[in-house]
Each structure stands twice: as C-alpha cells, then as structure tokens.
Amino acid sequence: MATTQECRAALDELSDNMAGAEGDVHAAAALDRSLSCHITDLDITFTGRLRDGRIHVHDTLDGPPRDRAQIRLAMRGDDLVALVGGDLDFARAWATGRVRLEAGFRDLLRLRTLL
C-alpha cells in the first residue's frame, strides 16, 4: 500500500510532467480550477488548484473531500503511483472504476487530452 508521502510525491511528479508538456497537452493543463484527490485506501484528500499547467497542493486532509472541487479525483494510493509511473492506463482504470474523475462537461473535454 502506497504511503501518504508516496502519493504526494506522485502528485508532484504529475505536476512536473504537465508543466513540461507541449502542444495540446500543455493547453489542456492550462486550466485554473480547484482540485481534490481522495486516496480511498488511506482515507486522505489532497486539495489545491490546477493552475498554470501545474498542480498546487495546499492541504492534506483526513477523510473524503469537505468541499466540492471543480475537478475531483478518487483512487487507491497504489493506483495513483502506478498511473504516474506509467504502469496503469488511465482510460482503462477509469472505465473499470479504479479511478474516478468528476468535473464539469467542458473541463472533461479539455482534460481528455491529458488522459
């Protein structure tokens, strides 16, 4: 089971990957939205913003998200680490329910380029 520190490191790596992206991926990441990532097996939530092509984590909370972020992710810690490491395909994980992504329709259309 991934630790809180490993999950936070995975989010930081994802942020670095998005910031270094070019073309359509860079444009898709250039949103300014509130963000939450609930790690279900650890029952913690990272909250922050997706801004300027980066994930800015502001807080780590116990339990599920307290507020409804504009972009909401939920998954097990091992799945987050595997996604960022390239060992788990996002589309397959989303289709099978291992990863939940909720956002407004327009945001989902833009985010599909990232995924």
Side-chain angles (χ1 to χ4, degrees):
M1 180 164 77
T3 66
T4 300
Q5 293 80 12
E6 290 170 323
C7 292
R8 175 59 196 260
L11 285 174
D12 290 342
E13 183 178 344
L14 177 60
S15 179
D16 291 342
N17 292 345
M18 289 179 359
E22 297 178 358
D24 291 341
V25 173
H26 180 73
L31 296 169
D32 184 4
R33 302 285 187 271
S34 59
L35 174 79
S36 68
C37 181
H38 183 219
I39 307 301
T40 56
D41 57 332
L42 298 175
D43 199 24
I44 60 167
T45 300
F46 297 100
T47 62
R49 286 198 81 76
L50 175 60
R51 182 178 52 233
D52 301 324
R54 295 195 69 89
I55 298 170
H56 302 273
V57 175
H58 299 146
D59 207 355
T60 305
L61 309 170
D62 290 328
R66 295 182 184 133
D67 298 317
R68 185 177 167 94
Q70 293 167 304
I71 299 172
R72 299 167 303 282
L73 289 161
M75 67 195 81
R76 291 181 28 238
D78 289 341
D79 290 336
L80 173 61
V81 172
L83 281 169
V84 173
D87 298 321
L88 179 62
D89 178 66
F90 183 88
R92 183 172 295 148
W94 190 22
T96 60
R98 287 176 68 176
V99 173
R100 288 192 334 255
L101 170 64
E102 298 174 359
F105 183 70
R106 285 186 179 179
D107 289 341
L108 286 173
L109 287 176
R110 286 190 70 180
L111 290 170
R112 72 176 183 196
T113 305
L114 295 173
L115 315 172

